[in-house]
Amino acid sequence: MTLLAGCTPAAIAIPTEQMMESGSWWTRNVVYYFSLMLDTFAEWFGGQYALAILVLTIIVRTIILPLMIKQYKNTKAMQALQPEMKKIREKFKDDPKLQQEEMMKLYQTNQVNPLAGCLPLIVQMPIFIALYNSIYTNANIRGNVEMGIPESTFFWLKLGEADPYYILPIIAALTTYIQSKMMAAQQPMVGPMKGLMYIFPVLIFVMALNFPAALPLYWIYSNIYTIIQNYFMYARSPKPIVDAVPISLGKVNKTSGKGPKPRGKGKEARGK
């Protein structure tokens, strides 16, 4: 939640050009350029920062889309290996070291990296924090009374203030829940992880109640993009046939010889 909150950005909104004079390396070299893009896009839409946030969100999400596709493929591969992994755990349950070695052999044989799912999160988190900071600190969005800069508006919203009608917090929480539900349908969760599917939308709702409207608006844009992305990745793709994955345990994948033998074409068969 600390990362989602943007590592507690400065509460005072400043003009984009002043960010270059900031004592923070992060603000000077990263947040400044995101804020500059927001100002540029807003000029294209006649000063509408709500549309500028939408464009920048789409650009950022599209840039990291290859990483999400890679994560998706790795997730599918891990799902297909679950029966094999279960057999390894059962066979070597008394020898954790050997169990780990067999697991690594299974990953190498099937060219699967169990840590690949973390890579997109690690890469995209700084991008999202910078985008978050640029929205939070941009004076043209939040306004600055001392400098005479009015805050940006969008329909009934003042983007620098919390939504007085709680519409954005509700939509942000709802889209977060839908997104989590779609992911859980493909990656079944148990125990505490399952509870996060319900707790996370509530946390988003609580934070959105207090944050400037521009931030839950960004969450909504991002959630909608992710929902559409997950629909084409997960909902429309066929589920993997896990029984078809070969077992990588020596002779385990060979015919055991047990069970009924195939009937040959003998005299009795031909007589029938």
Side-chain angles (χ1 to χ4, degrees):
M1 297 312 298
T2 301
L3 293 175
L4 283 174
C7 295
T8 315
I12 301 176
I14 60 175
T16 300
E17 56 270 16
Q18 291 189 11
M19 294 182 184
M20 288 295 292
E21 302 173 2
S22 172
S24 168
W25 179 93
W26 175 256
T27 301
R28 288 196 317 270
N29 296 281
V30 182
V31 178
Y32 165 75
Y33 293 101
F34 278 85
S35 185
L36 182 62
M37 285 189 286
L38 283 173
D39 291 343
T40 302
F41 296 148
E43 290 180 7
W44 295 356
F45 296 107
Q48 284 292 338
Y49 275 85
L51 298 179
I53 294 171
L54 172 61
V55 172
L56 188 54
T57 303
I58 292 175
I59 291 174
V60 170
R61 297 290 307 193
T62 303
I63 290 175
I64 66 171
L65 184 58
L67 291 175
M68 303 307 297
I69 294 175
K70 184 176 181 179
Q71 182 187 36
Y72 160 76
K73 292 180 178 179
N74 189 79
T75 299
K76 286 293 185 181
M78 289 295 293
Q79 288 178 347
L81 290 179
Q82 287 303 313
E84 297 295 313
M85 296 167 66
K86 183 178 180 181
K87 291 176 182 178
I88 291 176
R89 293 190 190 99
E90 292 176 352
K91 184 173 182 178
F92 304 104
K93 59 183 179 181
D94 297 328
D95 193 339
K97 183 178 180 180
L98 186 57
Q99 180 185 125
Q100 186 66 25
E101 291 176 357
E102 292 295 330
M103 285 288 190
M104 294 305 299
K105 290 179 183 178
L106 180 66
Y107 296 146
Q108 292 173 0
T109 301
N110 292 273
Q111 298 182 346
V112 173
N113 183 359
L115 301 179
C118 301
L119 180 61
L121 180 63
I122 295 173
V123 172
Q124 68 182 292
M125 192 57 68
I127 297 175
F128 287 151
I129 292 176
L131 178 57
Y132 183 103
N133 290 164
S134 65
I135 293 172
Y136 198 88
T137 58
N138 190 302
N140 292 323
I141 295 177
R142 297 190 60 203
N144 190 312
V145 178
E146 295 179 358
M147 296 183 177
I149 302 175
E151 58 188 322
S152 181
T153 59
F154 184 66
F155 290 109
W156 75 94
L157 297 169
K158 292 182 178 180
L159 297 183
E161 300 178 10
D163 183 357
Y165 303 108
Y166 309 136
I167 295 176
L168 286 187
I170 292 173
I171 298 176
L174 181 61
T175 52
T176 300
Y177 174 76
I178 294 173
Q179 174 188 336
S180 302
K181 191 76 173 177
M182 292 179 70
M183 292 297 294
Q186 293 296 323
Q187 304 177 42
M189 301 178 182
V190 295
M193 292 301 295
K194 189 174 182 179
L196 285 177
M197 186 177 70
Y198 302 98
I199 296 174
F200 195 53
V202 175
L203 293 176
I204 290 293
F205 175 78
V206 172
M207 289 192 296
L209 287 176
N210 303 294
F211 284 159
L215 297 176
L217 190 62
Y218 154 66
W219 282 333
I220 292 171
Y221 290 153
S222 183
N223 287 342
I224 292 175
Y225 187 103
T226 304
I227 289 170
I228 296 173
Q229 168 190 291
N230 290 344
Y231 172 75
F232 285 100
M233 279 188 178
Y234 295 99
R236 297 191 62 183
S237 62
K239 293 183 179 181
I241 305 175
V242 295
D243 294 337
V245 180
I247 301 173
S248 304
L249 287 176
K251 298 181 180 181
V252 179
N253 63 337
K254 296 184 178 181
T255 306
S256 61
K258 296 182 180 180
K261 295 182 179 180
R263 295 181 180 179
K265 296 183 179 180
K267 293 182 180 180
E268 294 180 1
R270 288 195 297 269
K272 294 181 181 178

